[in-house]
């Protein structure tokens, strides 16, 4: 044999960060599909008595005509988007007035509600459907513990990263399942309306999320939000680094909690511990090459000690910061009370890992869950479309290096593929495969 | 059919690709992305074909010649797409090589190129199995199972799963053979792939003949194995050649 140890090829680790985001999105979608197929087999497909702010204008019944359904769905979505816009502006106002602690508390509170009440309701569905023998006190204790650990995982930053990621995915699954209980037309029009809203709110200069991002950048603070951050990719090839890894980051980050300034000047080395349990808000000191105020991007950090160019991150994941926050969460009670679940769009965390807002998880899963209510062929098609949209968004992110909304491309592709599959593909494939004609 | 039988049929169609995925592809994230994108590409080609053929459906299931035309058009369209895939792959290879140069890493090895081709083929195969076989399984869970008149000895889903397995093999390895054929300009390889695809597709038309031509159901499997053998010889030769080149430096 020629060589004993082949040097690592370039495709060994390329695209790892993308896979680390695609995996939890896929898991979330898969769990929502499983929930939808298990829990909805018994009940009929007619609109349930699910009252929420999204059905406040019009409650769909199957006997209405096409135009009535469409108009009703449109009204519902407009009201919902208006409510979200209002809530986002309130959020921006609170952030502007530096009520960050209040926002974090509220975030924890809403996570507790999601995990406790929504999770509890779904658990009750399971218990009812499968006749699981459990008494109410045990159920309450388990649920309470589950929800409390979830709040701590989301709230505190020192939890193991796997637990935090798991709980974020669970929150996404629960909220997405509740959204799939909306009537069908309302769901589809709502998805499209939210994709358009996302586009407007992040890219238009008057959009609330753009204002929020710029506030956060100018103050060099982190927006308190529910954001999924992929585990940062460690550099396995570096041999003599003594546990020091270089990362390119977008901005200087002061550690949360104290107001101390960890900004380093250009040219200094940045030290990151390779502790893989560190999560977003842990003690990281990072240095960028330029200060934030100038809003300047630098793409490559040259290692001063060894004169090496940084690894693939230099080329692939350009520095970005985009945080968008939006509130999408509504409870099942008839009251029109709104929860503010703070979510962020797609961007780059302080360790260089990709961040994706929880709202994106939720609405991708809503789309796939709704497709699951029709047939699994649409599920496969929509899943591929959404992942493709996510990939396109990530590439645009690397290209444009600014705040980008993660919803529009994926939702557009997902809706397109859903209707194409339902109208065209299904007839074709079923015809062929029923006659065992395959190619 | 029962859930256990359903899982069995699904594993029958997708088992080898699952093991291939876990052992080879899941280790390199780039290959996972390649699988996903080639699956999407195959799905899009299928949607285009469905759009074109929508006006003529549903076809009467007694006559077989409309299906022959359908298979002919579909296979030629997909083989045309394979050439397009090859062109995109060439550009990707150049980008990856430039990237590797910039990072002072070695350029793409031969095995890397074959792995990328394998991942592309696997994407096509998995898409085929999922859309033609698995998507029929899930609505059919329940106490009974289905049989077809024309072949009453085997359950319908078993036949469908076996044929899907054959086509997964064909798709997976066709891509590797085709790419190596295009890379070296080997005409035999280049024409081998569409020929096998077409013949295998046409062979499935025998399902219209009644009386249970049981042997013919395994014919696509034969084509799949043919692909495998051709791939083995092809790949083995290339690797041996490559190593002698390295030795002789």
């Amino acid at each position: 044999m020629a060589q004993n140890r082949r040097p690592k090829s370039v495709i060994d680790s390329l695209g790892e960060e993308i896979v680390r985001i695609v995996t939890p999105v896929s898991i979330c979608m898969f769990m929502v599909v499983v929930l939808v197929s298990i829990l909805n087999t018994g009940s009929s497909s007619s609109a349930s008595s699910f009252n929420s702010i999204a059905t406040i204008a019009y409650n769909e019944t199957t006997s209405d005509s096409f135009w009535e359904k469409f108009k009703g769905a449109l009204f519902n979505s407009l009201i919902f988007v208006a409510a979200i816009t209002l809530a986002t502006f309130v959020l921006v106002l609170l952030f502007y007035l530096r009520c960050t602690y209040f926002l974090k508390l509220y975030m924890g509170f809403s996570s507790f509600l999601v995990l406790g009440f929504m999770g509890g309701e779904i658990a009750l569905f399971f218990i009812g459907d499968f006749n699981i023998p459990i008494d109410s006190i045990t159920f309450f204790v388990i649920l309470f513990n589950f929800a409390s650990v979830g709040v701590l995982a989301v709230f505190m930053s020192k939890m193991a990263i796997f637990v935090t990621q798991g709980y974020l995915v669970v929150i996404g699954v629960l909220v997405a399942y509740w959204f799939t209980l909306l009537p069908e037309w309302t769901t589809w029009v709502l998805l499209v309306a939210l994709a358009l809203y996302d586009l407007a709110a992040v890219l238009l200069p008057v959009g609330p999320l753009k204002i929020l991002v710029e506030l956060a950048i100018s103050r060099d603070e982190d927006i308190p939000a529910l954001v999924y951050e992929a585990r940062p990719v460690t550099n396995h090839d570096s041999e003599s680094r003594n546990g020091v890894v270089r990362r390119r980051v977008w901005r200087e980050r002061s550690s949360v909690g104290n107001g101390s300034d960890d900004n380093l000047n250009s040219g200094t080395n940045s030290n990151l511990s390779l502790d893989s349990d560190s999560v977003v808000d842990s003690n990281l000191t990072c240095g960028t090459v330029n200060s934030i105020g100038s809003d300047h991007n630098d793409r490559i950090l040259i290692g001063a000690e060894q004169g090496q160019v940084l690894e693939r991150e230099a080329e692939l994941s350009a520095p970005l910061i985009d945080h968008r926050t939006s509130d999408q969460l509504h409870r099942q009670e008839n009251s029109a009370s709104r929860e503010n679940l703070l979510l962020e769009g797609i961007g780059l965390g302080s360790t260089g890992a990709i961040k994706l807002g929880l709202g994106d998880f939720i609405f991708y899963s809503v789309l796939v869950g709704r497709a699951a209510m029709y047939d699994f062929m649409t599920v496969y098609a929509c899943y591929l479309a959404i992942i493709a949209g996510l990939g396109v968004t990530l590439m645009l992110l690397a290209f444009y290096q600014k705040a980008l909304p993660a919803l529009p491309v994926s939702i557009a592709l997902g809706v397109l593929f859903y209707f194409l599959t339902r109208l065209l593909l299904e007839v074709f494939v079923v015809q062929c495969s029923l006659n065992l004609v395959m190619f | 059919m029962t859930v256990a039988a359903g899982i069995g049929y699904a594993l029958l169609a997708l088992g080898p690709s699952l093991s291939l995925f876990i052992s080879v592809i899941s280790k390199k994230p780039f290959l996972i992305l390649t699988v996903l994108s080639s699956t999407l590409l195959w799905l899009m080609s299928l949607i285009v074909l469905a759009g074109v053929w929508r006006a003529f459906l549903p076809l009467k299931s007694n006559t077989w010649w409309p299906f022959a035309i359908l298979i002919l058009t579909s296979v030629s369209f997909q083989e045309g797409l394979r050439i397009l895939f090859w062109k995109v792959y060439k550009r990707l290879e150049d980008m990856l090589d430039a990237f590797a140069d910039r990072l002072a890493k070695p350029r793409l090895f031969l095995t890397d190129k074959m792995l990328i081709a394998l991942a592309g083929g696997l994407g096509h195969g998995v898409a085929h199995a999922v859309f033609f076989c698995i998507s029929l399984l899930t609505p059919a869970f329940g106490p009974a199972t289905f049989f077809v008149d024309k072949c009453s000895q085997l359950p319908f889903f078993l036949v469908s799963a076996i044929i899907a397995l054959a086509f997964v093999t064909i798709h997976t390895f066709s891509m590797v053979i085709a790419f190596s054929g295009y890379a070296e300009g080997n005409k035999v390889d280049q024409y081998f792939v569409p020929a096998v695809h077409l013949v295998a597709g046409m062979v499935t038309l025998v399902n219209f003949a009644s009386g249970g031509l049981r042997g013919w159901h395994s014919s696509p499997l034969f084509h799949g194995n043919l692909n495998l053998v051709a791939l083995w010889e092809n790949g083995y030769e290339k690797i041996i050649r490559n190593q002698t080149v390295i030795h002789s430096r």
Side-chain angles (χ1 to χ4, degrees):
Chain A
M1 293 298 279
Q3 309 110 311
N4 294 334
R5 194 184 70 87
R6 192 153 55 89
K8 291 214 178 197
S9 151
V10 71
I11 69 166
D12 269 359
S13 48
L14 199 64
E16 189 164 0
E17 288 159 339
I18 302 182
V19 169
R20 283 189 183 181
I21 273 287
V22 165
T23 311
V25 172
S26 311
I27 292 176
C28 185
M29 290 200 261
F30 176 70
M31 285 179 62
V32 171
V33 167
V34 164
L35 271 181
V36 163
S37 5
I38 291 181
L39 291 180
N40 283 12
T41 44
S43 57
S44 63
S45 61
S46 62
S48 57
S49 63
F50 177 54
N51 292 324
S52 68
I53 196 167
T55 52
I56 202 171
Y58 162 74
N59 218 332
E60 178 179 323
T61 56
T62 46
S63 55
D64 290 341
S65 70
F66 171 81
W67 276 117
E68 271 194 38
K69 285 194 212 177
F70 186 65
K71 271 188 328 197
L74 208 59
F75 274 137
N76 275 343
S77 328
L78 285 178
I79 292 181
F80 193 75
V81 169
I84 286 185
T85 317
L86 192 65
T88 313
F89 273 115
V90 168
L91 174 73
V92 173
L93 185 69
L94 284 178
F95 190 69
Y96 181 70
L97 298 174
R98 296 179 188 271
C99 306
T100 318
Y101 192 58
F102 171 74
L103 287 173
K104 284 182 87 81
L105 272 184
Y106 194 65
M107 194 173 95
F109 173 67
S110 56
S111 325
F112 184 79
L113 281 178
V114 169
L115 288 170
F117 283 96
M118 291 190 173
E121 287 272 355
I122 292 182
L124 283 175
F125 287 157
F126 267 105
I127 292 176
D129 276 351
F130 295 108
N131 296 321
I132 302 176
I134 188 172
D135 62 294
S136 54
I137 298 181
T138 312
F139 178 72
F140 176 70
V141 169
I142 294 178
L143 188 67
F144 183 73
N145 281 321
F146 177 71
S148 314
V149 175
V151 169
L152 289 176
V154 156
F155 202 9
M156 278 174 37
S157 54
K158 303 251 186 333
M159 192 81 79
I161 194 170
F162 190 63
V163 174
T164 309
Q165 288 176 341
Y167 266 105
L168 284 171
V169 171
V170 165
I171 292 177
V173 167
L174 293 175
V175 178
Y177 178 72
W178 280 104
F179 266 99
T180 60
L181 293 180
L182 291 175
E184 181 166 7
W185 284 77
T186 309
T187 315
W188 290 108
V189 180
L190 183 69
L191 281 171
V192 174
L194 276 170
L196 291 173
Y197 162 75
D198 198 12
L199 199 61
V202 174
L203 296 181
L204 287 183
V206 77
L209 298 175
K210 195 175 178 88
I211 301 176
L212 194 63
V213 167
E214 282 165 8
L215 267 182
I217 292 180
S218 66
R219 281 197 217 158
D220 188 34
E221 270 178 28
D222 229 15
I223 307 174
L226 283 178
V227 167
Y228 182 95
E229 176 157 342
R231 191 188 288 257
V233 178
T234 53
N235 183 5
H236 294 291
D237 281 349
S238 62
E239 36 257 1
S240 58
R241 295 290 186 110
N242 306 326
V244 170
V245 171
R246 184 157 301 258
R247 285 265 177 265
R248 180 212 50 247
V249 294
W250 166 254
R251 60 178 182 169
E252 302 152 353
R253 240 193 125 267
S254 54
S255 41
V256 172
N258 53 3
S260 70
D261 211 334
D262 291 326
N263 299 341
L264 305 174
N265 291 326
S266 63
T268 56
N269 301 334
S270 68
N271 295 336
L272 269 185
S273 64
L274 261 184
D275 178 21
S276 60
D277 281 338
S278 66
V279 288
V280 180
D281 294 321
S282 62
N283 304 328
L284 305 167
T285 61
C286 322
T288 59
V289 185
N290 291 300
S291 70
I292 286 310
S294 63
D295 205 328
H296 182 68
N297 318 344
D298 208 343
R299 303 188 71 187
I300 302 175
L301 274 182
I302 313 285
E305 0 178 39
Q306 280 144 349
Q308 283 181 13
V309 179
L310 190 57
E311 284 291 306
R312 57 195 154 20
E313 293 120 13
E315 290 306 310
L316 285 191
S317 37
L320 301 145
I321 177 163
D322 16 54
H323 301 286
R324 87 174 157 79
T325 59
S326 60
D327 330 294
Q328 296 103 4
L329 177 61
H330 58 83
R331 279 183 290 165
Q332 204 225 351
E333 286 89 9
N334 290 347
S335 66
S337 64
R338 307 271 302 106
E339 300 293 291
N340 280 344
L341 193 67
L342 307 178
L343 312 142
E344 288 192 18
I346 197 162
L348 208 65
S350 53
T351 56
I354 297 186
K355 291 164 81 169
L356 186 63
L358 210 60
D360 301 325
F361 275 78
I362 291 172
F363 286 107
Y364 295 163
S365 309
V366 168
L367 200 152
V368 174
R370 212 2 115 165
M373 287 181 171
Y374 179 69
D375 188 38
F376 275 161
M377 204 183 289
T378 43
V379 169
Y380 305 134
C382 289
Y383 169 75
L384 288 172
I386 289 180
I387 298 292
L390 188 62
V392 165
T393 311
L394 286 172
M395 283 197 285
L396 284 179
L397 205 62
F399 190 64
Y400 278 111
Q401 302 179 22
K402 60 193 281 262
L404 280 187
L407 274 186
V409 181
S410 288
I411 299 282
L413 281 179
V415 171
L416 178 72
F417 270 67
Y418 174 79
F419 285 110
L420 280 180
T421 304
R422 186 166 167 167
L423 298 173
L424 295 179
L425 185 67
E426 194 179 0
V427 178
F428 182 70
V429 170
V430 168
Q431 258 277 289
C432 284
S433 51
L434 279 184
N435 289 310
L436 289 178
V437 167
M438 298 197 187
F439 51 87
Chain B
M1 77 218 119
T2 57
V3 177
I7 296 180
Y9 293 136
L11 281 178
L12 190 65
L14 280 180
S17 34
L18 186 69
S19 50
L20 203 61
F21 185 84
I22 292 181
S23 60
V24 174
I25 300 211
S26 65
K27 302 215 163 40
K28 300 183 196 263
F30 185 74
L31 296 178
I32 300 180
L33 296 175
T34 312
V35 169
L36 283 174
S37 38
S38 77
T39 310
L40 181 74
L41 197 74
W42 203 86
L43 170 67
M44 289 200 293
S45 77
L46 205 61
I47 289 183
V48 167
L49 283 171
V52 166
W53 273 93
R54 182 72 177 90
F56 305 101
L57 295 174
L59 300 170
K60 293 199 292 288
S61 38
N62 301 329
T63 56
W64 60 269
W65 57 267
F67 286 102
I69 302 179
L70 191 136
I71 291 185
L72 195 64
T73 51
S74 312
V75 170
S76 27
F77 184 66
Q78 285 182 348
E79 293 303 323
L81 268 190
R82 199 189 298 272
I83 300 184
L84 184 73
F85 206 49
W86 163 253
K87 293 204 164 46
V88 170
Y89 167 72
K90 284 303 285 179
R91 211 177 304 173
L92 178 75
E93 201 181 302
D94 292 336
M95 281 194 329
L96 283 177
D97 277 339
F99 186 64
D101 285 341
R102 215 173 332 181
L103 292 187
K105 276 196 159 167
R107 294 187 145 211
L108 285 179
F109 297 110
L110 177 69
T111 44
D112 288 337
K113 300 182 193 178
M114 292 174 92
L115 277 177
I116 296 180
L118 183 73
L122 189 69
H124 280 217
V126 165
H128 179 276
V130 159
F131 281 98
F132 277 97
C133 173
I134 310 281
S135 59
L136 291 183
L137 289 180
T138 31
F141 283 134
T145 188
F146 283 95
F147 285 84
V148 187
D149 283 339
K150 303 190 179 99
C151 173
S152 40
Q153 280 87 0
L154 298 174
F156 168 73
F157 297 110
L158 185 61
V159 176
S160 159
I162 293 179
I163 299 184
L165 171 67
F167 271 98
V168 165
T169 321
I170 291 179
H171 278 298
T172 309
F173 299 122
S174 293
M175 194 66 84
V176 185
I177 298 177
F179 274 19
S180 81
Y182 292 136
E184 298 179 353
N186 187 352
K187 288 288 180 195
V188 171
D189 278 347
Q190 286 178 21
Y191 289 122
F192 177 74
V193 164
V196 164
H197 196 181
L198 192 60
V199 171
M202 288 300 187
V203 162
T204 59
L205 282 176
V206 301
N207 292 313
F208 281 101
S210 62
L213 294 172
R214 287 190 290 282
W216 285 101
H217 292 311
S218 57
S219 170
L221 269 178
F222 168 71
H223 290 284
N225 289 335
L226 197 66
N227 256 20
L228 200 55
V229 167
L231 173 80
W232 169 254
E233 298 194 354
N234 206 332
Y236 193 62
E237 269 178 34
K238 288 179 87 164
I239 292 179
I240 295 294
R241 239 185 301 144
N242 211 24
Q243 295 213 328
T244 46
V245 164
I246 294 175
H247 273 296
S248 64
R249 267 202 227 125

